[in-house]
Amino acid sequence: MTSPTNGLRCRECGRLFGSKALYVCEWCFGPLEVVYDYDAVARRVDHARIAGGPPSIWRYADLLPADPVGAVDLGAGYTPLIRADRLAAELGLGELWLKDDTRNPTGSFKDRVTSVALTRARELGFKVAACASTGNLANSVAAHAARAGMECYVFVPADLERTKITTTAVFGARVVAIDGVYDEVNRLCAEIADERDDWAFVNINLRAYYAEGSKTVAFEVAEQLGWELPDHVVVPIASGSLLTKIDKGFSELGLVGLVEGDRRVRISGAQAAGCAPVAKALAAGAEVPTPVRPDTIAKSLAIGSPADGEAALRAVRSSSGSIAAATDAEIIDGIRLLARTEGIFAETAGGVTIACLAILAREGVVRRDERVVACITGTGLKTVEAFGDTLGASAVIKPSFDAFTELEESWRNPK
Ligand SMILES: *Cc1c(COP(=O)(O)O)cnc(C)c1O
Ligand SMILES: [Zn+2]
């Protein structure tokens, strides 16, 4: 298998950079994008070639910026797309599907981007893996670094869920908790990345490669729908990278002839009301989000100054989507609704997605006549503390049948 050029191009000034790890254009500080020769990919790729690939993101290697041979691979991707009729009925929707990314190796979609970034990092000769994280990326980078035998440093806000720290440290990573919000963590990491030439910060100097991993969500959704596009996709927003790249992924499928026509998939965003800079910018008609200071239980989405916020806004506007924002109470309700209707336990970000899907359905933005996909991006097992003490045993009884029938009686006739 031959991988594409894998060089970078500046989206603003168009300058080309060879195979390098760069955060922004060295010339104009514009955002960088991986360059592909789509005509060459179109000649090479077809449905059978993909079907013959591995059951992971690497089946789409023709559209990823790294060589699948020798990939840093724990089996990210190729997660189930589940038809959700019971949830659809509750929300007044028609054909609803859930992309269940709780099923990734470390329990979130971040395994897709990490696998691509660290594979590319090794190709470029980096020895150390690192990241600034709101939690899930920390887990994923630590696990993939262990798999690759790379030294690993992760930087997180100190108020992160306890579980996400344990499930990172277990892989042998050095976890540095920063007394500050994510944007401060990220700024510090950018400074460290400047000083440490052999450190691959997956979401900073490797960001252009990292982001490409998210396209695989779009590729899988289309493949799982029998190589058809959905009408509308609802995606949670932190930095805005996932949403932006899902949009790019759908359009690439048309470019290389894997789906018919060039119909635009509508993309809508989901944010927590306690950190909704992109939703606010959309509502205000602004082109660039104004930074906010996060205050929400959805810590994985708590980025007040989203790096790809502007690009996410463009994708939402140009695809006729919208962005909703859910309160912490609505987020908890969203997690419970998803769990009780479909048997999937999502983290707070999944609660945001379901709560926002409900809002968008009520507003008539997501419609009953559409084929809708909601992205469930992380497992609930890492954010159990969001429930506090509210979900416990229904009762504690003595180990006797009488005690149990008494309990049943109390359920039938509550006082
Ligand atoms: C990081 C993350 C997101 C959003 O990712 P961005 O690409 O930064 O917008 C969504 N859900 C979960 C669970 C995440 O960890
Ligand atoms: Zn430039």
Side-chain angles (χ1 to χ4, degrees):
M1 227 182 265
T2 39
S3 59
T5 335
N6 300 343
L8 301 175
R9 181 193 292 126
C10 173
R11 222 186 293 153
E12 299 298 328
C13 73
R15 273 188 179 72
L16 288 167
F17 301 91
S19 279
K20 267 197 188 180
L22 275 183
Y23 186 27
V24 289
C25 173
E26 284 174 327
W27 199 260
C28 75
F29 303 104
L32 298 167
E33 198 78 55
V34 175
V35 182
Y36 297 95
D37 180 347
Y38 289 117
D39 291 334
V41 176
R43 281 193 296 274
R44 188 162 66 227
V45 82
D46 59 27
H47 297 161
R49 176 176 164 94
I50 290 168
S56 73
I57 60 166
W58 295 103
R59 68 205 278 104
Y60 310 105
D62 289 302
L63 287 164
L64 293 176
D67 197 324
V69 178
V72 181
D73 184 15
L74 288 167
Y78 209 55
T79 57
L81 182 72
I82 295 164
R83 178 79 189 241
D85 289 336
R86 286 166 46 76
L87 178 58
E90 293 259 355
L91 300 179
L93 291 173
E95 184 179 341
L96 174 63
W97 299 82
L98 303 170
K99 185 61 174 154
D100 185 8
D101 260 7
T102 69
R103 313 265 200 112
N104 276 298
T106 71
S108 86
F109 96 91
K110 292 296 198 305
D111 292 323
R112 300 173 182 275
V113 284
T114 300
S115 180
V116 171
L118 287 189
T119 300
R120 189 69 182 130
R122 273 211 308 208
E123 289 174 1
L124 294 172
F126 288 95
K127 299 283 183 283
V128 180
C131 68
S133 173
T134 55
N136 286 314
L137 189 60
N139 291 156
S140 185
V141 171
H144 284 82
R147 175 84 185 160
M150 296 171 85
E151 205 183 325
C152 183
Y153 297 80
V154 308
F155 298 82
V156 295
D159 75 343
L160 197 62
E161 295 96 345
R162 176 69 231 203
T163 311
K164 283 183 179 163
I165 293 182
T166 308
T167 52
T168 300
V170 72
F171 296 113
R174 276 188 214 274
V175 181
V176 184
I178 309 293
D179 185 15
V181 295
Y182 175 81
D183 290 305
E184 293 164 309
V185 177
N186 193 52
R187 222 168 298 135
L188 169 64
C189 287
E191 215 178 308
I192 299 171
D194 265 348
E195 296 293 327
R196 300 278 186 275
D197 285 345
D198 57 339
W199 286 32
F201 274 91
V202 299
N203 54 342
I204 299 178
N205 49 337
L206 272 294
R207 187 172 183 87
Y209 302 108
Y210 157 100
E212 292 290 289
S214 286
K215 295 186 310 188
T216 58
V217 174
F219 300 160
E220 288 175 20
V221 165
E223 186 182 3
Q224 289 165 321
L225 292 174
W227 293 110
E228 283 184 15
L229 298 177
D231 298 312
H232 203 151
V233 176
V234 178
V235 186
I237 298 174
S239 73
S241 174
L242 174 65
L243 182 144
T244 309
K245 296 301 169 176
I246 287 177
D247 183 45
K248 181 181 180 189
F250 284 130
S251 68
E252 280 186 347
L253 291 174
L255 279 177
V256 303
L258 285 168
V259 297
E260 301 279 332
D262 55 1
R263 190 169 57 80
R264 189 72 188 271
V265 177
R266 298 178 71 196
I267 312 252
S268 286
Q271 292 211 288
C275 182
V278 192
K280 282 182 186 153
L282 185 76
E287 270 174 42
V288 186
T290 305
V292 302
R293 199 167 175 91
D295 179 14
T296 169
I297 56 168
K299 295 181 197 283
S300 59
L301 302 182
I303 297 184
S305 181
D308 296 300
E310 202 181 334
L313 271 174
R314 270 198 306 269
V316 166
R317 282 201 176 108
S318 61
S319 73
S320 314
S322 184
I323 307 175
T327 64
D328 284 357
E330 290 170 325
I331 294 167
I332 291 289
D333 287 347
I335 296 174
R336 297 188 68 170
L337 176 63
L338 175 65
R340 93 179 145 70
T341 54
E342 300 295 341
I344 296 171
F345 183 22
E347 72 146 76
T348 45
V352 170
T353 300
I354 297 302
C356 288
L357 175 63
I359 294 167
L360 294 168
R362 271 201 306 275
E363 290 174 344
V365 174
V366 175
R367 299 192 314 256
R368 207 189 157 79
D369 62 348
E370 288 181 307
R371 177 189 268 183
V372 180
V373 176
C375 294
I376 307 303
T377 47
T379 176
L381 292 174
K382 288 192 247 171
T383 62
V384 176
E385 68 195 56
F387 287 96
D389 295 327
T390 58
L391 282 181
S394 299
V396 181
I397 57 170
K398 292 270 177 319
S400 81
F401 187 69
D402 279 353
F404 178 64
T405 52
E406 235 169 79
L407 178 62
E408 278 186 313
E409 180 57 28
S410 80
W411 284 336
R412 266 192 302 272
N413 301 305
K415 286 195 196 86

